[in-house]
Amino acid sequence: MTFKTNLYLSAMAGAMIIGAAATAQTAPAPAAGATPMAGAPMAAAPAAGANPTVGGAVMDATKPIAVNASAAPNLSTLVTAVKAAGLATTLAGPGPFTVFAPTNDAFTRLAPGTVDTLMKPENKATLAKVLTYHVVPGTLTLADLQAKVTAGGGKASLVTVEGDPLVVETVGSAVQLTDVNGNKSYIETADVKQSNGVVHVVNGVVLPKLN
């Protein structure tokens, strides 16, 4: 069997695993009246002038997204993926960007084998597609997102860098993201200011159309 055929079969297997993940990784929703908790927190803006910590790490608002994310222990899978996709330089650039950053736990909700498959060199383009689906041009704070939801009558559609839309709505005090496959994710930590935009830490990986 030729190398080209092997590569094709590997890519096809990867597509099958990733496609299965698209309908199998919805993050847990916050219960009605629930208090903030890991995995299903209520989104809340930080105090004026403050920058939230992420994974216990201080986030420096004078540094870019790529640098701050590398300092957060609970974003290590995302950082590895960004490097594998060749996007580290982009996220260190001027932007501005709004990034919905999945935690390490968020990646574990994907179908088994998905992360390893995405990290393979032959799937670099697919990985970049997934990651850029988490990025929206410009700076959108929590207040901006909530204003868009109000203006949209309960929902707002964001155009991502990848091209597919992300739907934002509020569920109680939580801000919910719904991808084009119907999977839902929730903002855990909002308004982490960066020199080139803002990061909202989320508890699920959103996926664009991959086929």
Side-chain angles (χ1 to χ4, degrees):
M1 186 177 290
T2 66
F3 172 77
K4 185 174 181 181
T5 303
N6 275 324
L7 189 61
Y8 172 76
L9 291 175
S10 176
M12 286 297 292
M16 290 174 67
I17 292 174
I18 296 165
T23 57
Q25 61 90 50
T26 291
T35 55
M37 57 182 292
M42 300 303 183
N51 213 24
T53 59
V54 177
V58 174
M59 298 287 101
D60 188 339
T62 68
K63 293 180 180 179
I65 294 164
V67 172
N68 277 321
S70 295
N74 63 336
L75 298 182
S76 59
T77 303
L78 174 63
V79 170
T80 299
V82 165
K83 291 177 180 176
L87 296 174
T89 300
T90 300
L91 292 180
F97 307 108
T98 296
V99 175
F100 297 102
T103 61
N104 295 345
D105 285 345
F107 280 98
T108 68
R109 296 192 178 96
L110 293 170
T114 299
V115 174
D116 289 340
T117 298
L118 283 169
M119 296 289 191
K120 291 180 179 179
E122 62 266 30
N123 292 324
K124 182 177 180 179
T126 301
L127 178 59
K129 185 177 176 71
V130 170
L131 294 176
T132 54
Y133 188 49
H134 291 77
V135 182
V136 176
T139 300
L140 293 173
T141 64
L142 179 67
D144 294 330
L145 294 173
Q146 291 169 332
K148 284 181 174 291
V149 169
T150 299
K155 291 184 179 181
S157 182
L158 306 179
V159 178
T160 65
V161 170
E162 183 273 335
D164 282 337
L166 264 181
V167 173
V168 183
E169 56 191 307
T170 55
V171 179
S173 299
V175 174
Q176 173 185 286
L177 306 176
T178 304
D179 67 23
V180 289
N181 302 291
N183 297 309
K184 301 182 190 307
S185 175
Y186 300 87
I187 294 179
E188 282 191 352
T189 305
D191 292 350
V192 187
K193 295 183 288 294
Q194 319 285 318
S195 65
N196 59 346
V198 65
V199 166
H200 303 293
V201 180
V202 295
N203 72 341
V205 177
V206 291
L207 294 170
K209 292 293 185 185
L210 295 172
N211 48 34

